[in-house]
Amino acid sequence: MKLLRVGPQGAEKPAVLDSAGKLRDLSGHARDIDGETLSPAGLAALAAIDVASLPVIEGMPRIGACIARPVNFLCIGLNYADHAAESGVPLPKEPIMFLKSLGAICGPNDDVLIPRGSTKTDWEVELGVVIGTKASYISEAEAMDHVAGYCVVNDVSERAFQVEREGTWDKGKGCDTFGPIGPWLVTADEVGDPQNLQMWCDVDEVRMQNGNTRTMIFDVRAVVSYASQFMTLYPGDIIATGTPPGVAFGMKPEPRYLRAGQAMRAGIAGLGEQSQRLVAA
């Protein structure tokens, strides 16, 4: 299933994308695309619905973030061997974790705000892993049983805020609109192997990132298990699992960071595409 949320910001309703590419209204069967809906019982109930019997959502409504009210928006840094190489840093010995502000979450096609004072706003297409079952101290062998599905994430980052100022990475990662999610959540049964997904990001229609999840240092199984050793993961939580090479931060000799008026498009095979316009905050 491809699950999404459509409508004005703050008033989105749950929907499903049918096999013909039509949006179908799920609000008669689910409160929202949230932790309850993404539980094994919730997904089983949705799978039993005759999608063709659901009302069609006409027109071109705004698509919101595909998950409502996560408890945690967790990110893994430097998790692609080829991205670590372009950044000129050694491979991490264990996953680098940080939390992205929940206030960064926005719809997949909403405008992205370049923060005031920013000089180095950057893009990062990432595979988002969505938790379906509460996970605490789980093994790698158990990890995939806790995954509800996957989505596209753009881990937008301000590098000067992130690495040149005092403190942790968070101030360069959690700015408003720095977490576009979607367009939809694809359930794990439809994705199959998450370690062989092509992913890309364009800036002004120029391909900047062209990678594959096979070059992850720590795969999805390892990341979910590892994170659960430090915090409880709840249904609806998102883990952004790192980015392949091609970000502005790794450009030589001179990085070309984002400016107001530009546009980004990011996608992952089977998970759809998202696009944003850059505007000044």
Side-chain angles (χ1 to χ4, degrees):
M1 290 179 289
K2 293 181 174 66
L3 304 173
L4 66 159
R5 303 170 64 246
V6 298
Q9 187 169 4
E12 296 92 344
K13 63 181 179 181
V16 60
L17 188 72
D18 71 15
S19 59
K22 294 181 179 179
L23 298 179
R24 301 277 183 164
D25 189 347
L26 267 181
S27 57
H29 299 270
R31 176 186 65 179
D32 209 334
I33 308 302
D34 56 13
E36 180 180 356
T37 298
L38 296 173
S39 69
L43 290 179
L46 293 186
I49 297 170
D50 176 12
V51 172
S53 69
L54 297 173
V56 173
I57 299 174
E58 303 288 355
M60 299 285 289
R62 170 188 173 271
I63 299 177
C66 58
I67 302 142
R69 298 177 297 278
V71 175
N72 295 301
F73 188 178
L74 175 65
C75 298
I76 308 299
L78 294 172
N79 194 31
Y80 281 69
D82 36 8
H83 173 52
E86 76 168 352
S87 301
V89 297
L91 300 185
K93 295 179 180 179
E94 54 186 288
I96 297 170
M97 299 191 339
F98 61 92
L99 289 166
K100 202 171 179 83
S101 168
L102 298 181
I105 293 174
C106 66
N109 304 316
D110 291 347
D111 290 347
V112 166
L113 304 177
I114 295 181
R116 296 178 186 178
S118 167
T119 58
K120 297 182 178 180
T121 296
D122 205 347
W123 58 86
E124 289 191 16
V125 61
E126 306 204 5
L127 173 67
V129 177
V130 183
I131 300 300
T133 304
K134 185 177 177 181
S136 180
Y137 298 110
I138 62 169
S139 68
E140 289 191 21
E142 301 170 291
M144 302 309 284
D145 294 335
H146 293 263
V147 175
Y150 304 90
C151 63
V152 181
V153 175
N154 189 345
D155 176 21
V156 185
S157 308
E158 213 296 340
R159 304 300 190 186
F161 296 178
Q162 177 189 352
V163 299
E164 297 175 17
R165 298 180 63 172
E166 296 294 331
T168 64
W169 287 7
D170 301 60
K171 65 168 68 81
K173 293 285 192 172
C175 304
D176 294 348
T177 72
F178 269 27
I181 298 171
W184 34 75
L185 179 155
V186 183
T187 51
D189 60 301
E190 283 199 12
V191 173
D193 181 9
Q195 301 308 148
N196 189 25
L197 300 175
Q198 198 68 22
M199 53 204 306
W200 59 90
C201 182
D202 298 345
V203 177
D204 289 342
E205 302 184 0
V206 176
R207 183 64 39 100
M208 307 305 291
Q209 290 185 276
N210 189 13
N212 192 289
T213 55
R214 73 170 70 94
T215 68
M216 279 187 187
I217 301 166
F218 306 101
D219 64 13
V220 170
R221 188 184 307 272
V223 164
V224 172
S225 170
Y226 183 86
S228 79
Q229 310 307 310
F230 301 94
M231 65 184 72
T232 298
L233 302 173
Y234 293 93
D237 281 357
I238 309 156
I239 305 176
T241 53
T243 197
V247 298
F249 184 69
M251 288 180 178
K252 302 292 187 299
E254 187 66 32
R256 297 191 300 275
Y257 292 105
L258 294 166
R259 306 181 308 278
Q262 291 188 294
M264 295 182 287
R265 180 179 297 273
I268 299 177
L271 304 184
E273 285 191 345
Q274 53 174 240
S275 62
Q276 302 90 27
R277 183 172 60 104
L278 281 301
V279 300

